[in-house]
Structure formats: C-alpha cells, structure tokens
Amino acid sequence: MAVNPSRVFAAVIPVGDVYRDENEGMIRTVRRNTEQTPTREVQVTGNAELSSGPNRARLCLQVSSRKDSVTEAKNSVSRRLDYILQSLRQQGVKEENVTVTKDIRRAENAYYMEAEVCVTFSDFVKMQNISNFLVEKLDSSVTVSAPQFYHTTENLESIR
C-alpha cells in the first residue's frame, strides 16, 4: 500500500504589528490589545489523502431449472451444483468461504428450482480463473455474476 506523505504548516504569529507569511507571500496585520498582555497565536493547517484497493471479492453463481416433476428439477440443479462445489474444492477454496442457498417453488404447472453459490475470495487471480473455468464448462442455465469487490472491516481499520 503506497502512502503519500502529509504536509503540515505551522506559524507562530509574532506580537508585532505586521507579519509576513512566507508560504503564502502575503502580509497580515496583527493588532495589539494594549489593555491586556500581548498574546501569541498558533495557526496549523494540514492535508492528507489515503487510498487502498479492495481486499475481498464475492462471486455469485445462480443455477436454475424448470421441470414438470419436482424430482427432475432437484436432480437437474443438484448435478450442476455438485459440479460447481467440486470444482471449488479442487481449486483450494475453503468451505467456510462458500455459501449455498436453495429455493424451490411451483409456477404454472411446473416446478422451478434455483440455487445460488456465493464465494468469498481474497486472491483475485484465483477468483478470475475459477469464474472463467465455470463459464466455459457450464451451460446457459448457470449464470456467473460480475464479482463484487469490497474492503473488510479489519482492512478499513488498518488504513485509518
């Protein structure tokens, strides 16, 4: 993570009547309060900027099937779901980084089953390789969404 240095300017304004600010090339007049003891004033200005790329990405895949029988719909989705999960395991994706949700419903005298697999990656190259592999190997009933990149809470805290 590249960090740009911050700059801070400070000036102690003298008690005299005229003060020349060398950084800004201007002259300021400081009026004395003759009834009280002279006071000094400190002015500080600063500016900083920091940026960091995301450290996590979430890739989601949707598998769906519409069949006349609930068993056929389940089997159709299950075969492709098993293939996806096996491919993830073979690529070294930990089970704790994978979430699977399944939904089945009846629509117009047919059964519709949908499953979604969401995988969290910290290795973006691995994510891209797996995404490309699954797009190549699976048919159009599997949708691979664009990855969502984000920062973990720990990452945000470390850059603050």
Side-chain angles (χ1 to χ4, degrees), residues 73-90:
K74 283 182 178 181
N75 288 342
S76 177
V77 169
S78 292
R79 281 193 313 272
R80 288 174 283 158
L81 193 57
D82 290 343
Y83 180 78
I84 291 169
L85 296 174
Q86 178 186 355
S87 297
L88 293 173
R89 280 192 297 274
Q90 287 175 345

Side-chain angles (χ1 to χ4, degrees), residues 32-83:
R32 275 194 236 183
N33 186 346
T34 55
E35 296 175 10
Q36 298 177 356
T37 57
T39 59
R40 292 188 162 231
E41 179 181 331
V42 175
Q43 296 179 348
V44 178
T45 59
N47 186 352
E49 186 175 311
L50 182 64
S51 65
S52 175
N55 67 331
R56 292 286 190 278
R58 180 176 294 114
L59 182 69
C60 292
L61 304 97
Q62 292 82 28
V63 181
S64 62
S65 179
R66 183 183 180 113
K67 302 286 184 184
D68 291 334
S69 148
V70 70
T71 305
E72 289 175 359
K74 283 182 178 181
N75 288 342
S76 177
V77 169
S78 292
R79 281 193 313 272
R80 288 174 283 158
L81 193 57
D82 290 343
Y83 180 78

Side-chain angles (χ1 to χ4, degrees), residues 116-157:
E116 182 178 60
V117 179
C118 290
V119 188
T120 303
F121 291 94
S122 56
D123 182 347
F124 299 156
V125 173
K126 180 188 276 190
M127 177 205 59
Q128 192 64 56
N129 290 338
I130 290 172
S131 176
N132 291 342
F133 174 78
L134 292 172
V135 167
E136 291 172 14
K137 297 296 181 183
L138 297 168
D139 64 12
S140 62
S141 63
V142 177
T143 305
V144 180
S145 64
Q148 297 174 337
F149 295 92
Y150 63 97
H151 294 279
T152 59
T153 305
E154 296 82 19
N155 186 40
L156 289 175
E157 290 299 322

Side-chain angles (χ1 to χ4, degrees), residues 18-29 43:
V18 178
Y19 168 67
R20 179 170 194 79
D21 189 339
E22 295 173 7
N23 292 320
E24 295 180 14
M26 57 190 281
I27 298 174
R28 295 182 184 173
T29 302
Q43 296 179 348

